[in-house]
Structure formats: structure tokens, C-alpha cells
């Protein structure tokens, strides 16, 4: 599907371990240099010429002059070009030496000759294990594209008062040029290009060949970056962790399905399972992050997000001019508007839930009056309708939460994401699980709880598969159907021109990140850990869903969406806390279910108070054990801790030696 663009005398081969150049299409810079187009910049078609010339000059200027020192050229229209095509599309690349210097600037970690992971420096490049010759293949294509994005994001205004040709588009010293043009709508998009041959190999080993094996996480990381690889690693780990529960659930379903007195055994297994798997995942993710060089990588200083606005002032940390916004005003917006809005949405969710129970009562009344096959099917209709309504409400609320979080005007992207995640998680948790809690602990109807859980789980999985895989693919096929037919007629089996390939990728859907993917796993984890003791097949259904999720997510990443920029990551971030919070709730929920079982109640026939005290005491004991287990199981394996400590010791020793040399006046030499 995708075409190779990496051509160029010193073009980095993205495939790990190959280290040789790939001959393909090439682009010539204005000075005659041949370079590999790695990133595409698209401006609106009516952008003024002076603004375009100014931006291109800033991209090409030397770093000491405040430029990015990259190679950029306008994309020439191919044979299939029309008047409707946007002429303001540019491809960006860099010389190999510039990329190596950029790798040092962004703090990439690479494997050293002694096997440890160290921050790359250009001066010591030959001491790194995979650096051979002039460094061909040392950097993956994803890393090269990340470096270019970093340099573009750090392209800052100097003494310009505004963007040339746009007097109202104000600039000030230190303002990010790319972010300003994006926020004002001049810059349409910046995206990295796919690489045909590597994508073809990745697709074959990832999803085209159905097999019982682990995912190629190293290849995924090499092509899409660490953040994406950690998501798929967590998806795979979560699926494998569910297998013991699924294996226990199948015979439990077959032999003890109607014996609710025995669900206490399964609830007890839930208590241990949900705690242990999260602790072991932290160790696994640390091992993966260390091997990928992101565990000890320092976090880059965050710049203000594109949508942030305020009164122009001076950042006390950087000394650069940037917008400043009162934190008091932001807190007022949060507590006087956002919090009441979230509470209102929770009330609406509760109101919809009560309507659902009225529908359940109506369906049950009809079935009791005339018990037939069709009235039996009618019993499932309210749950199905409610599951669909839940998904619709989650989707609408997601847009509202994004708008509100943007309106709160957070300075940093990480803060914006944390507030958005909190809003979405609170509503989704209440919206998806409130009815189950009501059935379990107010109505205490285990039959209805089992039916509702099964219906909600199955319906949500079907809707998610349709929305996440089939719908985007269908829309993409519909959008590009005419373009594909035209190119097939004219090109036949020839190599697709760069202009046509960029045009195809520019029209593809933009991948918005792993937020929705982690949210789906979070809700599935909730269904399994909270109430699967009364519906043992929940784990089996989630395993089947996750297997198809691996293939559907891999398919849409390779076939449906633009290639996203790689994002360095050492863990799954705030989602780890979200899953741990869910596991704490699961302990409380399963203890309460155990206390409600007739088996346990039979031990306290005369005093309900003693039963409650026993359940609360047992729940406190398990929570204490859970937190003790958190400290007993180290987050980072011992051998990795030793390597990190050794690296820190060597860095301190090198710093001492350097200070001694400087004090004695002996010039420092690089080995």
C-alpha cells in the first residue's frame, strides 16, 4: 500500500539491523542536495507567498542563526495532478550528520559497546554498538522523523513582530513558529511518511499472518515508537494475564453456573489476580523501557501547548516571552464550571439508568404474563438498548470534556491530558458500572446482574469493533476509491510517484493517540475485576475481544491512519494509576459480594452486624496486603537497577575527573 521514500546518499534505513541505504525516489533541495523526504508540511492553499518564503528560510537557516538547519523542498505535482490539488505541500529531510547531532539534542539512548544503554553523543558515536562506518542504519526512520519534528517544534521567532503577510498574527521572541501557524490555521498538518518495504515486513509479521505467537514489539517500537509499542505490549500482557481466569471460568460456568453460593471462590481469585498482574506489568514495562533506552531518559522541558493563551509575559524558568495566565482564574473555571458540569452529566447518567430499570420491569412483566420464546428474547432488549445508549453518551461526553478542558486553558499538554483523563474516567466509570453496582448491592439480584453484565460487555465489544476498525476502513476505502482506480489505470505496476503517495497519506485519517485504546482496556478490566465472579465467561469474552483487538488495531495503524510521530515513553503513564485505582475498587466490590453470598451469611445467622464487621475487616486486611505487595515487588528488576546505578556512578566519576582536569588547567580530550 505504501511507497518507499528513503533514497539519498546517506539515507537512514529504517529496518533495524540492515544498515544499508535504500535506492528509491529522491528530492532535490534548492541548493541541489539530494535528500530523503521524511516529513510532510502542508499549508493552506491561499497562504501568502511572503509567509511561505519566511517559513522555508527559517527551516533551512543554520542553527546558530536561529534556524532548524533542515532540508525542505516543495512537492512537485505528478502526472495525476489537478488544479484542485494544494500547491503548498513541502517535504522535509535532513543530512545524516544533522540527524546525528539532533539525536544528541533530543537525548536518545542507544546501546553502548559494554551492553549498557547510554545517552548518545556525537563525539563518542563510534563507541556505540550499532554505529558502523558513517552510521547508516544507526537511527531508525521513526527516530529521524521524531528528530525533525523536535527541530520544527523548536523553531522560534526572533525579532519578528508578526508572521510576514499576516499583521494580526502576532509573534514575540521565543514563540514557537510552528505552533503559532497551527493555532491560527495557516499550517494544516505536519505528518511523517510511511516507508513501504518496512511497513510491508511489519504488517506480515504483525497481522497478515495469523499465528499463535507474541507480537513483534521491537519492530513496532522501531516503526511507531516506544509509546505505541508499550500500548501493544500492555494489550498483549493483559490478554495473557486473563487466560488463567478464563480457564477457571469455563468449568465454573459449565458446572456451577446456577450455584451462586460458590461464586466466593472466584471472587477470591479476582482479589489476588487484579493486584499481582499490575505489579508484574510494572516490572515488565521497566524491562522493555530499559531495552529501548527510555527508562532513564530525561523528560524534555515542556513548552506551552498550541491552544494556550494569556497576557504576554516572561517565563521565570526559561527567561523567554510567552503567554501567562492566572492559576486562580483557571481554578475558578475548574471548580465553578467544569466540576458542576461533570456532576450534571453524572445525574443525567443516573436518570437514564433509572429509565433502563423501568424498561427491565416492563419486559419482565410482559414475560410473566405470557412466557413465550419471543417474550424471553424481549428480556434482553432493555439491556441492549441501554448498552448502546451508554456508548453514545460516552462519545458525546468525550467531546464535551475535551472542549471544557481546552477552555480551562492549561499551559502544558501533560496537564491538559491529566485533566481530560480524570474527567473521562469518572464519567465512563459511573456510566458503565453504576447500573451493575445498583443491581448487585441495592436490588441484590444476581440473575439480573449476570444478564446485564453479559449484555453490556458483548454489546460494547461489538460496537467498539465496528467503530474502531470497520468504520474507519470503510470511510478510507470510500474516500480513496476514485484515486486508486485512476492511479491503477495509469501507473499499472510502476512505482507510485512521491506526489501521489503524499496525496494519499495526507487524506488518511489522523491517529489521535492511545487515549481511546487505553480507555477501552480500562473498562474491560473493570468488567472482569469487579463482577466476573457472577459471570465467569466475562474473562473468556475479553480474551476473544483482545485477540481481535490486536489485529484490528494493527490493521488500522498500518492501513487506515497516517503514520504518527513516535513518542518516547518509559511506561503507560497516568493509565497505570487508573488501573491501580480500579483494582482497589475491585477489592472492595468482591469483598462485598463475598459477604452477600449465602455461604458466608450462614456463618453469621444471628448477627448481621458481625457479618458486616467481618467483611470490612477482611477488606481492610486485603487492601493492606495489596499495598504491602506493592512495596515488596520492586517496580524495576534488580539487574536493571544495578545497571542504572552503575551508569549513574560512572557519570559522577566522569564529572569529578572533568572538574579536576579543568582545575589543573589540562585540556580535556574526547576518546
Amino acid at each position: 500500500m505504501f511507497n518507499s521514500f528513503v533514497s539519498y546518499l546517506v539515507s537512514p534505513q529504517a529496518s533495524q539491523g540492515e544498515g544499508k541505504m535504500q535506492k528509491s525516489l529522491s528530492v532535490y533541495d534548492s541548493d541541489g542536495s539530494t535528500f530523503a523526504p521524511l516529513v510532510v508540511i502542508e499549508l493552506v492553499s491561499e497562504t501568502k507567498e511572503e509567509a511561505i518564503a519566511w517559513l522555508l528560510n527559517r527551516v533551512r537557516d543554520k542553527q546558530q542563526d536561529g534556524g532548524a538547519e533542515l532540508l525542505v523542498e516543495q512537492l512537485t505535482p505528478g502526472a495525476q495532478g489537478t488544479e484542485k490539488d494544494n500547491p503548498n505541500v513541502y517535504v522535509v529531510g535532513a543530512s545524516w550528520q544533522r540527524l546525528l547531532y539532533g539525536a544528541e539534542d533530543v537525548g536518545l539512548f542507544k546501546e553502548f559497546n559494554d551492553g549498557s544503554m547510554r545517552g548518545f553523543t556525537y563525539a563518542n558515536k563510534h563507541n556505540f554498538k550499532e554505529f558502523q562506518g558513517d552510521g547508516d542504519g544507526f537511527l531508525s526512520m521513526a527516530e529521524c522523523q521524531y528528530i525533525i519534528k523536535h527541530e520544527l517544534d523548536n523553531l522560534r521567532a526572533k525579532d519578528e513582530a508578526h508572521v510576514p503577510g499576516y499583521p494580526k498574527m502576532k509573534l514575540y521572541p521565543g514563540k514557537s513558529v510552528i505552533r503559532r501557524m497551527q493555532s491560527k490555521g495557516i499550517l494544516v498538518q505536519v505528518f511523517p511518511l510511511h516507508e513501504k518495504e518496512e511497513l510491508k515486513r511489519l504488517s506480515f509479521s504483525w497481522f497478515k499472518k495469523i499465528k499463535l505467537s507474541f507480537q513483534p514489539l521491537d519492530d513496532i517500537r522501531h516503526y511507531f515508537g516506544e509509546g505505541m509499542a508499550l500500548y501493544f505490549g500492555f494489550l498483549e500482557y493483559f490478554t495473557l494475564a486473563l487466560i488463567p481466569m478464563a480457564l477457571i471460568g469455563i468449568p465454573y460456568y459449565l458446572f456451577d453456573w446456577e450455584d451462586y453460593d460458590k461464586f466466593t471462590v472466584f471472587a477470591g481469585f479476582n482479589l489476588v489476580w487484579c493486584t499481582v498482574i499490575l505489579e508484574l506489568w510494572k516490572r515488565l514495562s521497566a524491562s522493555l523501557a530499559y531495552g529501548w533506552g527510555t527508562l532513564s531518559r530525561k523528560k524534555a522541558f515542556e513548552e506551552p501547548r498550541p491552544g494556550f493563551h494569556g497576557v504576554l509575559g516572561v517565563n521565570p524558568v526559561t527567561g523567554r516571552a510567552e503567554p501567562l495566565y492566572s492559576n486562580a482564574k483557571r481554578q475558578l473555571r475548574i471548580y465553578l464550571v467544569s466540576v458542576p458540569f461533570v456532576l450534571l452529566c453524572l445525574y443525567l447518567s443516573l436518570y437514564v439508568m433509572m429509565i433502563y430499570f423501568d424498561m427491565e420491569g416492563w419486559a419482565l412483566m410482559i414475560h410473566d404474563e405470557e412466557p413465550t420464546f419471543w417474550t424471553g428474547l424481549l428480556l434482553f432488549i432493555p439491556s441492549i438498548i441501554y448498552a448502546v445508549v451508554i456508548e453514545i453518551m460516552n462519545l458525546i461526553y468525550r467531546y464535551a470534556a475535551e472542549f471544557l478542558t481546552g477552555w480551562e486553558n492549561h499551559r502544558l499538554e501533560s496537564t491538559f491530558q491529566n485533566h481530560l483523563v480524570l474527567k473521562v474516567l469518572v464519567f465512563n466509570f459511573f456510566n458503565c458500572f453504576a447500573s451493575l453496582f445498583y443491581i448487585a448491592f441495592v436490588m441484590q439480584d444476581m440473575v439480573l446482574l449476570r444478564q446485564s453484565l453479559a449484555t453490556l460487555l458483548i454489546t460494547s465489544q461489538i460496537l467498539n469493533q465496528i467503530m474502531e476498525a470497520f468504520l474507519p476502513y470503510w470511510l478510507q476505502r470510500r474516500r480513496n476509491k476514485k484515486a486508486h482506480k485512476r492511479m491503477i489505470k495509469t501507473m499499472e505496476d510502476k512505482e507510485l510517484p512521491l506526489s501521489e503517495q503524499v496525496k494519499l497519506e495526507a487524506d488518511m485519517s489522523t491517529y489521535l493517540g492511545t487515549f481511546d485504546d487505553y480507555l477501552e482496556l480500562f473498562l474491560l478490566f473493570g468488567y472482569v475485576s469487579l463482577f466476573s465472579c457472577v459471570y465467569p465467561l466475562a474473562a473468556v469474552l475479553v480474551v476473544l475481544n483482545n485477540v481481535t483487538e490486536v489485529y484490528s488495531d494493527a490493521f488500522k495503524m498500518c492501513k487506515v491512519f497516517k503514520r504518527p510521530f513516535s513518542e518516547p515513553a518509559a511506561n503507560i503513564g497516568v493509565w497505570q494509576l487508573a488501573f491501580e485505582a480500579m483494582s482497589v475498587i475491585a477489592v472492595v466490590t468482591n469483598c462485598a459480594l463475598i459477604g452477600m453470598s449465602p455461604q458466608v451469611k450462614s456463618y453469621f445467622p444471628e448477627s448481621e452486624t458481625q457479618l458486616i464487621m467481618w467483611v470490612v475487616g477482611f477488606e481492610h486486611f486485603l487492601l493492606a496486603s495489596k499495598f504491602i505487595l506493592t512495596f515488596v515487588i520492586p517496580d524495576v528488576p534488580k539487574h536493571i537497577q544495578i545497571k542504572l546505578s552503575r551508569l549513574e556512578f560512572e557519570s559522577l566519576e566522569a564529572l569529578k575527573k572533568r572538574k579536576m582536569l579543568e582545575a589543573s588547567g589540562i585540556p580535556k580530550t574526547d576518546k
Side-chain angles (χ1 to χ4, degrees), residues 533-578:
C533 60
V534 297
Y535 183 59
L537 285 186
V540 178
L541 293 176
V542 174
V543 167
L544 296 176
N545 174 82
N546 287 0
V547 171
T548 59
E549 186 81 11
V550 168
Y551 288 97
S552 64
D553 284 353
F555 171 80
K556 70 183 182 183
M557 292 306 304
C558 296
K559 298 282 188 178
V560 177
F561 293 117
K562 294 185 186 74
R563 183 180 188 174
F565 282 103
S566 66
E567 289 294 338
N571 48 56
I572 61 175
V574 67
W575 292 103
Q576 180 75 37
L577 296 176

Side-chain angles (χ1 to χ4, degrees), residues 234 238 267 269-279 282 429 433 437 521-522 524-531 575-591 619 622-627 629-630:
F234 181 74
F238 180 41
F269 179 80
N270 273 354
L271 294 172
V272 178
W273 175 84
C274 65
T275 298
V276 172
I277 66 163
L278 293 177
E279 292 304 315
K282 286 193 283 190
F429 179 85
F433 299 116
F437 277 98
L521 293 182
F522 172 79
L524 292 176
F525 179 75
Y527 283 124
V528 171
S529 62
L530 295 177
F531 299 107
W575 292 103
Q576 180 75 37
L577 296 176
F579 279 91
E580 290 178 356
M582 180 69 81
S583 70
V584 171
I585 299 174
V587 170
V588 178
T589 302
N590 283 275
C591 284
E619 172 254 329
L622 288 175
L623 287 177
S625 302
K626 175 181 173 62
F627 291 120
L629 197 63
T630 302

Side-chain angles (χ1 to χ4, degrees), residues 28 38 43 180 283 304 314 318 339 345 476 481 487 633:
Y28 293 90
L38 299 173
L43 306 174
R180 170 61 77 185
R283 292 173 60 84
V314 177
T318 63
V339 171
C345 290
Q476 183 64 25
K481 188 175 181 180
M487 285 182 289
I633 302 178

Side-chain angles (χ1 to χ4, degrees), residues 14 140-147 221-225 563 566:
S140 69
M141 188 176 180
E143 289 171 333
C144 294
Q145 291 168 332
Y146 172 74
I147 292 168
R221 173 253 171 181
H222 206 73
Y223 194 83
F224 289 110
R563 183 180 188 174
S566 66

Side-chain angles (χ1 to χ4, degrees), residues 120-338:
F120 174 77
T121 58
Y122 187 83
N124 291 326
K125 58 182 181 293
H126 293 291
N127 292 327
F128 287 84
K129 189 173 182 179
E130 296 179 359
F131 196 96
Q132 299 175 356
D134 57 0
D136 292 354
F138 181 68
L139 299 176
S140 69
M141 188 176 180
E143 289 171 333
C144 294
Q145 291 168 332
Y146 172 74
I147 292 168
I148 289 178
K149 179 180 182 294
H150 175 268
E151 299 300 336
L152 290 175
D153 287 343
N154 283 277
L155 193 63
R156 303 187 180 282
K158 295 186 290 186
D159 53 359
E160 301 94 342
H162 59 82
V163 175
Y166 296 90
K168 294 184 179 181
M169 199 173 298
K170 303 297 183 183
L171 290 173
Y172 44 85
K175 175 63 181 177
S176 172
V177 172
I178 296 296
R179 289 171 182 263
R180 170 61 77 185
M181 299 182 76
Q182 278 182 322
S183 62
K184 296 300 181 181
I186 294 180
L187 198 155
V188 178
Q189 58 182 342
V190 179
F191 64 91
L193 290 169
H194 276 288
E195 200 282 312
K196 179 183 177 182
E197 293 304 321
E198 186 180 1
L199 186 67
K200 188 182 296 183
R201 286 190 294 270
L202 177 60
S203 300
F204 182 78
S205 63
W206 195 5
F207 69 90
K208 284 189 175 180
K209 186 179 179 181
I210 299 178
K211 55 183 179 180
L212 294 175
S213 64
F214 296 111
Q215 296 179 89
L217 293 182
D218 288 333
D219 294 337
I220 297 170
R221 173 253 171 181
H222 206 73
Y223 194 83
F224 289 110
E226 292 81 13
M228 189 67 63
L230 279 174
Y231 161 70
F232 281 101
F234 181 74
L235 173 59
E236 179 178 88
Y237 173 82
F238 180 41
T239 306
L240 294 174
L242 282 167
I243 291 177
M245 184 177 286
L247 293 177
I248 295 174
I250 292 174
Y252 186 92
Y253 170 81
L254 294 175
F255 300 111
D256 290 328
W257 180 233
E258 297 298 335
D259 191 353
Y260 295 104
D261 292 353
K262 297 182 180 179
F263 68 69
T264 54
V265 177
F266 208 85
F269 179 80
N270 273 354
L271 294 172
V272 178
W273 175 84
C274 65
T275 298
V276 172
I277 66 163
L278 293 177
E279 292 304 315
L280 294 180
W281 163 251
K282 286 193 283 190
R283 292 173 60 84
L284 176 60
S285 65
S287 299
L288 291 173
Y290 178 79
W292 295 337
T294 56
L295 184 61
S296 55
R297 183 174 175 180
K298 293 181 180 178
K299 190 176 181 181
F301 182 78
E302 279 194 85
E303 299 292 337
R305 47 188 297 271
F308 177 66
H309 57 86
V311 179
L312 187 62
V314 177
N315 187 314
V317 177
T318 63
R320 290 198 294 255
E322 68 175 46
L324 300 178
Y325 188 77
S326 170
N327 185 59
K329 291 183 179 179
R330 184 182 299 113
Q331 295 302 319
L332 287 175
R333 289 188 174 191
I334 292 174
Y335 290 107
L336 296 184
V337 178
S338 296

